[in-house]
Structure formats: C-alpha cells, structure tokens
C-alpha cells in the first residue's frame, strides 16, 4: 500500500541535527529535479527578500519564513514525519504509533512537496516554505515542473498494491496515476453525512485518523474494493464509486457527523 499525503503549510523547526543530505532522500530519480528547485529557491530568498515574499505568497507577518529558505543547506534536518505538522498530522500522530505501525508508516507514506517532489516520512529534511502552488522565476509553476520527474518515479514507488490518494488538489496535479496504477488507486472525500457537503477542518483530521487506523491495525489492502471493506470493518461509513472505465481511480466518500 502506498499512501499519498499533502504536506502542511506550518512546519516544526529544523532543530539541531545534521544538515540535509540530498543523496539520502528516497526516490533518487527525483534528485536532479530537487537540486534545481533547491538552488533556485535558496538563490531567490538570499538575493531579494521582497521578491521572495511575493513569489512564495507570504504576508508581511510570514516574512521570517524567508530566513528558513536561505539556510536550507546548513539547517538541521529531522524526519519529515516530525517536520510536517497541522490537523492531518496531529490526527495521524506518528510519534505515538507502536513500533510495527511506525515501520509500516515508513514504508507506505509518501508526502508530496513543492520543494522535494515527494519524500518518505523517514527522510530527513529541514523546515522550509515552498508550496506546490509557487511559480519560481526560472522553473515556472512547480505543479507542472514536477509532472515529468514524478511520472518517471512514482509508478515504481506504487508497486503492485493499493494507492490511497489523500492529497489536496494542488498536490494531486503534480502526479496523476494512469493506466493499471489508476485502477488500483482510491481518492477520498470527507462529507458531512446529513448535508453531503465537503467538510474543511474535519476533512484533514479524518484523513489522518484513517491512515492511523490502517497502520495500527496492520491492514494493507491490495485494491480499492478491499480498502472499502477494511474501512467499514474499522467503523467508518464509506460510500464507494468504481471507475466507469479502465484507467480511472475509484472515488470514496467517508461520511462524518462532525463538521468544522
């Protein structure tokens, strides 16, 4: 099972560990693309703070984020699962998982990133600011920039099992499963049961809880149909739509009573 996650805008501090070792990151097929984004991002933030704020879409109150990017090569690095914070990651709560579930998380969770393309939660990275919606002057829109490298790397990472796609739309645009991989991919929406409206805050929390439930139970469905049954066994209310034709993903709606 491969679980595709969005990152978080908010991130923990880098800490005082050893700095980034790009060659140690998972998906080495992305190394050249990562180096190009890293070089341009650092150069932009060192050269012109005002322009960097504009390009990165930062308000005046977030101007301090630019300093993070100027020090990406020297700042301490921590496992990505510790760097990413926010509602989804709070609900997932990787740190409190039992040892076997943590090992499963390291094998199956892949976090998409405007800077790194995608990383495992065990990959050591520094804290940074660069969303997939950014358009760097020399590389263009990152969502488009990453498509070719991702198309080369992700089918292999997907293996032959389920792909559970929990990404937001901005990150989903960087790689769309195709062909046989798409047929074993499931995308998830979280809906308010009484109104069938998409929820916001609780969407992220529910997705984090779903991943935690699967990891804790040691469940690795081979395909979307098996995932639906597994989630129902775990107590989730799920409505599923199989694809109308080959080469398309399954769509799952998880219904909740809470809404935020």
């Amino acid at each position: 099972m491969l679980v595709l996650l969005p990152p978080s805008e908010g991130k923990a501090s880098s800490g005082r560990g050893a700095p980034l070792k790009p060659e140690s990151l998972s998906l080495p097929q992305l190394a050249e693309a990562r180096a190009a984004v890293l070089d341009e991002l650092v150069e932009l933030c060192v050269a012109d703070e005002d322009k960097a704020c504009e390009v990165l879409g930062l308000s005046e109150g977030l101007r301090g984020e630019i300093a993070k990017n100027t020090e990406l090569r020297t700042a301490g690095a921590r496992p990505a699962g510790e760097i990413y914070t926010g509602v989804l990651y709070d609900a997932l709560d990787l740190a409190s998982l039992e040892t076997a579930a943590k090992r499963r998380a390291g094998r199956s969770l892949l976090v998409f990133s405007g800077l790194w393309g995608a990383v495992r939660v065990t990959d050591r990275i520094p804290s940074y600011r660069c969303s997939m919606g950014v358009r760097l002057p020399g590389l263009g829109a990152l969502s488009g920039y990453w498509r070719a490298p991702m198309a080369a790397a992700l089918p292999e990472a997907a293996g032959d099992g389920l792909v559970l796609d929990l990404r937001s739309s901005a990150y989903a645009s960087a790689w769309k499963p195709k062909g046989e991989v798409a047929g074993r991919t499931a995308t998830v929406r979280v809906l308010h049961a009484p109104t069938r409206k998409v929820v916001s805050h609780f969407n992220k929390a529910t997705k984090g809880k779903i991943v935690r439930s699967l990891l804790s139970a040691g469940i690795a469905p081979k395909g979307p149909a098996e995932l639906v049954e597994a989630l129902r066994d775990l107590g989730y209310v799920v409505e599923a739509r199989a694809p109308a034709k080959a080469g398309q993903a399954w769509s799952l709606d998880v219904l909740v009573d809470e809404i935020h």
Side-chain angles (χ1 to χ4, degrees), residues 117-211:
V119 292
R120 303 280 185 186
V121 293
T122 50
D123 286 336
R124 298 180 65 84
I125 60 173
S127 186
Y128 67 95
R129 189 74 179 221
C130 184
S131 71
M132 192 65 80
V134 164
R135 180 182 293 271
L136 290 176
L139 299 178
L142 291 177
S143 57
Y145 171 81
W146 280 113
R147 283 176 195 147
M150 291 291 195
L154 267 292
E156 179 181 344
D160 59 1
L162 169 73
V163 178
L164 176 54
D165 190 352
L166 302 179
R167 296 172 294 169
S168 56
S169 58
Y171 291 89
S173 64
W175 180 63
K176 183 178 180 180
K178 295 181 179 179
E180 180 269 334
V181 178
R184 49 187 168 84
T185 296
T187 63
V188 174
R189 297 189 306 174
V190 180
L191 304 182
H192 183 223
T195 64
R196 289 302 196 273
K197 291 183 178 179
V198 177
V199 299
S200 53
H201 171 94
F202 210 71
N203 166 63
K204 297 177 182 178
T206 301
K207 288 178 177 178
K209 290 176 181 177
I210 285 172
V211 177

Side-chain angles (χ1 to χ4, degrees), residues 25-50:
L25 298 179
S26 302
L27 305 179
Q29 305 96 317
L30 301 179
E32 184 176 345
R34 286 169 175 151
V37 179
L38 178 63
D39 286 346
E40 182 163 353
L41 181 62
V42 171
E43 181 179 348
L44 169 69
C45 292
V46 168
D48 190 332
E49 187 174 291
D50 289 337

Side-chain angles (χ1 to χ4, degrees), residues 92-118:
L92 174 54
D93 195 7
L94 287 168
S96 70
L97 288 173
E98 295 184 355
T99 301
K102 285 181 180 177
R103 287 197 295 266
R104 288 190 282 270
R107 293 193 300 266
S108 62
L109 305 188
L110 197 64
V111 184
F112 274 59
S113 162
L115 174 54
W116 313 114

Side-chain angles (χ1 to χ4, degrees), residues 219-236:
I219 299 172
K222 285 295 186 181
E226 292 89 339
L227 172 65
V228 172
E229 293 305 313
L231 291 177
R232 288 172 177 166
D233 288 344
L234 289 168
Y236 293 94

